[in-house]
Amino acid sequence: MSLTTPDTYMADDPAGDFPIVQLLTPEGERVSHPEFAYDGDDESIRELYRDLVLMRRVDFEAHALQRHGEIGLWPPAQGQEAAQIGSGRALRKQDFAFPTYREHGVALCRGVEPGKLVGLFRGTELGGWDPNEHGIALYSIVIGAQTLHATGYAMGLTLDGAVGHNDPDRDAAVIAYFGDGATSQGSVNEAFDWAAVFNAPVVFFCQNNQYAISASTDRQTRGPIAQRAGGFGFRGMRVDGNDVLACHAVTKAALQKARDGEGPTLIEAYTYRMGAHTTSDDPTRYRETAEVETWKLKDPIERVKRYLQVQGTPQEFFDALDAEAEVLGKNLREACKALPEPDLEALFSMVYVDGETPELLEQKAAYVAFRDGLETEGTPA
Ligand SMILES: Cc1ncc(C[n+]2csc(CCOP(=O)(O)OP(=O)(O)O)c2C)c(N)n1
């Protein structure tokens, strides 16, 4: 199988007859597509490359922190960098993202501090950041739930008059991230239906990383995920999820369509999870090493590096980025260890936006009395 042409790229995929958008081959060559093009210059590709490298560094560092017992769990994102950075960088400030639990790159694109990403997994935070400040909701562990939140939020944008003015500063869109396994959830299909019927300004971005923990995609669906949108009455398309330029171009177009008031789109980013589902999973029990080796050749970062090198990007650029990644890694380690212990008393005031109800105040008082009793009397036998 050739790795270069879009048509044969999917030859080993049972649903390969659904066209895939690719703009940068695994060998680092730009290719054209009849409908989509990356509209930035080489300087902007260097910025995307920087994002890809720094995202991978944050991911590796968090993984290492879990191995050192500093966080309880980590969902690695290696292999999915292009899908996340390409789509994340297509968002505007006023857009809003609804992630699952593996969207570390999208969170970084939205300006979330790397140290904040690990709080949930260290057990010191309920979420970790202010969604309104960053335009990205907190991670959802409940598979697919966020697609409903995204659709509801998008319907709200329409009701608020925030779409369809041809105004780049005012018109807004929503993007919902989920995996291939999530498409088996009723909630995701309900979200598709509501979004279609209400013409909601939402982009459904499915990272088909081929596995839902140990269940391969063919155990979830027998047709291309992208094709499912057609049954709900909106467009679905498939993009090479390891190609940052294609992911950016396709997402940018879908977001603009949403902002223009032309309704939802489903994007299936065809990619691969290189590592484990989470740090408590052992992928060698359900997939062959040869499969992983094949996908190493399609690495989303290496192909951009090859392209930039051929374009004459000086070695100093890559060296400076390595140094920047080192500092980022060190800062993340320190930020993680410095996260303050949670104050459970504060939980009670975080349940409702409008403050505590009498029942919550009663429960808080009971908890505080219990906690203070422990502090003075020691742990009961
Ligand atoms: C509603 C619900 N059901 C089951 C689970 C357990 N669970 C956690 S991850 C996962 C697989 C998700 O796979 P996919 O949607 O492909 O996302 P990926 O992790 O591959 O990115 C499942 C079933 C859950 N978290 N929520």
Side-chain angles (χ1 to χ4, degrees), residues 61-334:
E61 207 65 60
H63 200 168
L65 282 164
Q66 194 281 331
R67 287 292 183 251
H68 283 95
E70 295 291 345
I71 56 177
L73 186 82
W74 183 250
Q78 186 191 353
Q80 298 181 218
E81 292 90 349
Q84 296 193 15
I85 298 298
S87 59
R89 284 295 178 211
L91 291 164
R92 290 199 185 135
K93 193 174 186 312
Q94 70 269 27
D95 297 334
F96 207 94
F98 286 84
T100 312
Y101 41 71
R102 204 189 298 282
E103 271 69 79
H104 318 313
V106 183
L108 294 173
C109 286
R110 301 305 278 166
V112 174
E113 285 290 316
K116 290 269 183 189
L117 281 176
V118 292
L120 178 70
F121 301 100
R122 192 172 165 88
T124 57
E125 302 256 11
L126 282 176
W129 57 85
D130 178 350
N132 281 331
E133 184 189 340
H134 295 288
I136 178 169
L138 300 178
Y139 278 174
S140 171
I141 307 290
V142 182
I143 299 297
Q146 76 283 5
T147 59
L148 289 171
H149 306 158
T151 301
Y153 188 101
M155 289 165 65
L157 285 180
T158 307
L159 293 172
D160 285 349
V163 295
H165 307 93
N166 201 17
D167 180 346
D169 298 322
R170 180 176 174 191
D171 296 337
V174 176
I175 189 164
Y177 290 91
F178 51 98
D180 42 295
T183 62
S184 298
Q185 289 285 141
S187 51
V188 174
N189 293 278
E190 288 160 16
F192 288 175
D193 197 38
W194 275 66
V197 168
F198 288 91
N199 211 38
V202 55
V203 175
F204 295 108
F205 194 94
C206 176
Q207 287 171 85
N208 178 359
N209 67 7
Q210 323 257 343
Y211 289 91
I213 312 184
S214 59
S216 54
T217 312
D218 62 348
R219 306 268 307 273
Q220 306 286 342
T221 180
R222 290 300 165 100
I225 288 171
Q227 212 167 44
R228 192 176 304 188
F232 289 93
F234 57 96
R235 186 177 182 191
M237 58 186 113
R238 196 172 230 203
V239 60
D240 179 344
N242 285 21
D243 173 353
V244 72
L245 303 185
C247 287
H248 185 273
V250 166
T251 311
K252 188 175 173 185
L255 286 167
Q256 193 51 47
K257 185 179 117 184
R259 292 187 206 104
D260 289 342
E262 291 169 28
T265 305
L266 170 63
I267 297 171
E268 177 192 358
Y270 194 83
T271 181
Y272 193 79
R273 159 166 61 74
M274 294 302 292
H277 170 73
T278 67
T279 42
S280 28
D281 165 53
D282 175 8
T284 62
R285 296 182 64 175
Y286 55 82
R287 65 187 194 189
E288 302 288 338
T289 313
E291 183 181 286
V292 183
E293 292 300 316
T294 311
W295 278 90
K296 265 190 196 160
L297 302 173
K298 304 171 190 171
D299 187 88
I301 302 186
E302 282 306 308
R303 67 178 72 180
V304 187
K305 186 173 189 178
R306 281 186 205 123
Y307 169 76
L308 290 176
Q309 283 173 328
V310 170
Q311 298 311 304
T313 301
Q315 184 56 36
E316 294 84 74
F317 167 80
F318 299 102
D319 293 344
L321 186 53
D322 282 347
E324 189 182 353
E326 278 300 313
V327 174
L328 184 70
K330 182 170 169 287
N331 289 346
L332 174 55
R333 289 195 293 278
E334 285 168 7

